[in-house]
Amino acid sequence: KKGLRQFEYRSEEIKVKEFAEQALNSRERDAITVSKTKVYSQEETANFISMVNNDIFAEVLIPSSITDFIKAVETFKEKLKPKLDTLSKEIDMYYQSQFATHIKTFHKYIEELCLIRNPEEVVKRTGDQKNYLKTARDKYMQAAEFANRNFEDYQRMITFVEDNRSNFTDLGEDYTIRTEDFIDYINNDNEPWERFPQMRKLYNELNKAIRERVKALREEVVEKYEKIFEEIDKRKAELKDGANITTNKDYLLQQINRDTSLDKLKLQKLQANSFKRENLKKIEDRKQEEKAVKTGESYTKPIDVQIVAEIEPTTISNEQELDAFLQKLKEQLMQKLKNNKKLWLN
């Protein structure tokens, strides 16, 4: 009778036609078996349908009008296929997000059920994992709803952390604990919906604080470099041809105005004096070149000498010590002047 016997090939249920084909193949004949299968009553079938629809998925996957056991299982597996496809797409879409772990878990359970060929095993596995399936489904639904409503804002918060790791350290002690909490939320919280309203508010606070600090520091750096360029332009005006010998003002200021890193802006500020020396030296070199051309003398390029590197640090308490210090410095510079003819002191 139908449903009383089950045809199997290597412990997997197969159709009668497949069974006959394997039976005709002498090499595969030992791998096929016919076993008794349990006959499920309408009540047992109804209980399975109720478990799927009500206890696990909270939606009608199997119509309650179905009374045939095999038909109920086949319908169940067919309804799981589009869910599996959706889950796969969502894994690809949200794979970098912490909450993706719930999508992956639910995908794993659904995929395992879809791969089982034996209807009885489908029912048994579903029953054994009922609580796990329900939990996985509930977590997935929360993750999916969160992604649908808030993913754009959440992704903006993730990008904010990635782009401002170095800036967070410059916010000061007032923000230390809140910054650490925010970073931990982004990096480790796989249920971000629970604290999302609070974290979105904190994101706005941190974002505002960083933008204000960047703006203030950028304005300070730009002002510093604009004054340097004023001096550079004044010195260049003394040259016959001062084109293209110093750093392009517009390019550098545009670069500073694009910087959003406090570390980079602080570095630009620290390098301002060196930048000034380098460009003034280029102007002086050109000035001496033009002078040599005008007088017919040979031009000797001066070497760069940093005074602070020429003599060890010392404490001066009186005029005699000052004279001794200057005499020592003079001797060292005279030796360099003798060897190189010209010095550029800075």
Side-chain angles (χ1 to χ4, degrees):
K1 294 181 180 180
K2 181 180 178 181
L4 294 179
R5 295 291 184 269
Q6 179 171 291
F7 301 103
E8 296 179 352
Y9 170 69
R10 300 189 185 280
S11 301
E12 290 287 344
E13 184 184 11
I14 59 175
K15 302 294 183 181
V16 176
K17 183 179 179 181
E18 293 177 75
F19 181 84
E21 291 173 352
Q22 298 297 342
L24 294 173
N25 187 337
S26 59
R27 289 178 299 178
E28 299 291 346
R29 197 169 294 156
D30 291 339
I32 59 175
T33 57
V34 179
S35 60
K36 290 183 178 180
T37 183
K38 179 180 177 180
V39 177
Y40 283 80
S41 66
Q42 289 187 2
E43 182 181 356
E44 290 174 311
T45 302
N47 289 339
F48 170 67
I49 293 173
S50 177
M51 176 177 64
V52 168
N53 292 346
N54 303 322
D55 299 339
I56 299 175
F57 291 91
E59 61 176 301
V60 177
L61 294 184
I62 313 171
S64 57
S65 58
I66 295 177
T67 57
D68 181 74
F69 169 72
I70 299 298
K71 179 65 176 177
V73 174
E74 289 177 348
T75 301
F76 175 49
K77 292 182 67 176
E78 283 299 317
K79 290 294 182 69
L80 291 181
K81 289 179 181 178
K83 289 186 177 295
L84 196 61
D85 291 339
T86 298
L87 288 165
S88 296
K89 292 176 182 177
E90 289 174 336
I91 289 173
D92 292 338
M93 188 180 303
Y94 305 122
Y95 73 98
Q96 290 184 316
S97 303
Q98 292 298 321
F99 64 79
T101 184
H102 300 297
I103 304 174
K104 294 174 183 177
T105 298
F106 193 44
H107 178 278
K108 174 179 174 291
Y109 283 121
I110 297 300
E111 185 177 45
E112 288 175 352
L113 290 173
C114 287
L115 292 175
I116 299 173
R117 298 181 63 179
N118 188 323
E120 290 185 32
E121 181 60 27
V122 171
V123 175
K124 183 178 185 305
R125 181 73 65 87
T126 303
D128 291 345
Q129 297 185 339
K130 181 179 76 171
N131 292 332
Y132 296 109
L133 278 165
K134 183 181 185 305
T135 300
R137 183 262 178 195
D138 291 346
K139 292 294 184 183
Y140 161 71
M141 292 300 292
Q142 288 177 300
E145 182 180 5
F146 173 77
N148 185 52
R149 292 185 177 183
N150 301 301
F151 184 70
E152 186 174 333
D153 287 344
Y154 181 67
Q155 185 61 45
R156 190 178 296 114
M157 291 159 66
I158 293 174
T159 303
F160 173 72
V161 169
E162 294 172 350
D163 292 345
N164 289 280
R165 290 189 184 279
S166 62
N167 288 341
F168 289 136
T169 58
D170 288 293
L171 290 180
E173 294 182 359
D174 292 343
Y175 287 91
T176 299
I177 295 177
R178 284 181 290 171
T179 297
E180 291 174 352
D181 190 30
F182 183 75
I183 294 174
D184 180 69
Y185 168 77
I186 294 298
N187 291 339
N188 302 309
D189 196 334
N190 61 21
E191 297 181 8
W193 49 87
E194 296 291 347
R195 295 195 294 159
F196 184 71
Q198 303 96 299
M199 290 298 110
R200 181 164 53 186
K201 180 180 178 182
L202 180 54
Y203 157 73
N204 290 330
E205 292 177 7
L206 295 175
N207 189 29
K208 180 181 178 182
I210 288 175
R211 283 191 288 106
E212 288 176 349
R213 280 164 172 73
V214 168
K215 182 176 181 292
L217 181 57
R218 184 191 291 126
E219 289 174 352
E220 181 182 349
V221 174
V222 167
E223 182 181 2
K224 192 176 188 69
Y225 275 86
E226 283 180 337
K227 289 181 180 179
I228 291 173
F229 276 112
E230 286 178 8
E231 185 172 352
I232 289 173
D233 290 341
K234 184 178 179 181
R235 296 282 189 92
K236 283 172 67 175
E238 301 172 1
L239 301 176
K240 182 179 180 180
D241 180 14
N244 301 321
I245 65 169
T246 57
T247 302
N248 184 279
K249 175 182 177 180
D250 291 338
Y251 174 79
L252 180 62
L253 293 182
Q254 286 174 9
Q255 187 180 46
I256 293 173
N257 280 313
R258 283 196 301 266
D259 276 339
T260 58
S261 167
L262 290 168
D263 281 348
K264 289 183 179 179
L265 289 169
K266 285 192 287 187
L267 182 61
Q268 288 277 18
K269 182 180 177 181
L270 288 172
Q271 292 176 336
N273 289 334
S274 296
F275 172 84
K276 177 180 177 180
R277 288 195 300 268
E278 290 171 4
N279 281 276
L280 291 181
K281 182 177 184 298
K282 291 176 183 179
I283 295 172
E284 183 62 25
D285 286 348
R286 176 61 62 84
K287 183 177 180 180
Q288 294 302 320
E289 287 179 24
E290 291 181 354
K291 181 179 178 181
V293 170
K294 185 176 181 180
T295 60
E297 299 175 355
S298 61
Y299 169 68
T300 301
K301 189 173 183 177
I303 65 167
D304 191 1
V305 177
Q306 293 188 355
I307 298 297
V308 294
E310 292 302 313
I311 195 165
E312 294 180 359
T314 186
T315 300
I316 296 175
S317 304
N318 52 55
E319 185 176 352
Q320 290 76 18
E321 290 177 350
L322 177 60
D323 289 340
F325 173 83
L326 293 175
Q327 181 60 35
K328 184 177 181 181
L329 177 61
K330 179 181 177 181
E331 291 172 359
Q332 292 183 216
L333 294 179
M334 285 299 295
Q335 184 61 42
K336 288 184 179 292
L337 185 62
K338 180 181 178 181
N339 294 335
N340 300 281
K341 305 302 182 184
K342 286 186 178 181
L343 305 179
W344 169 259
L345 303 181
N346 63 79

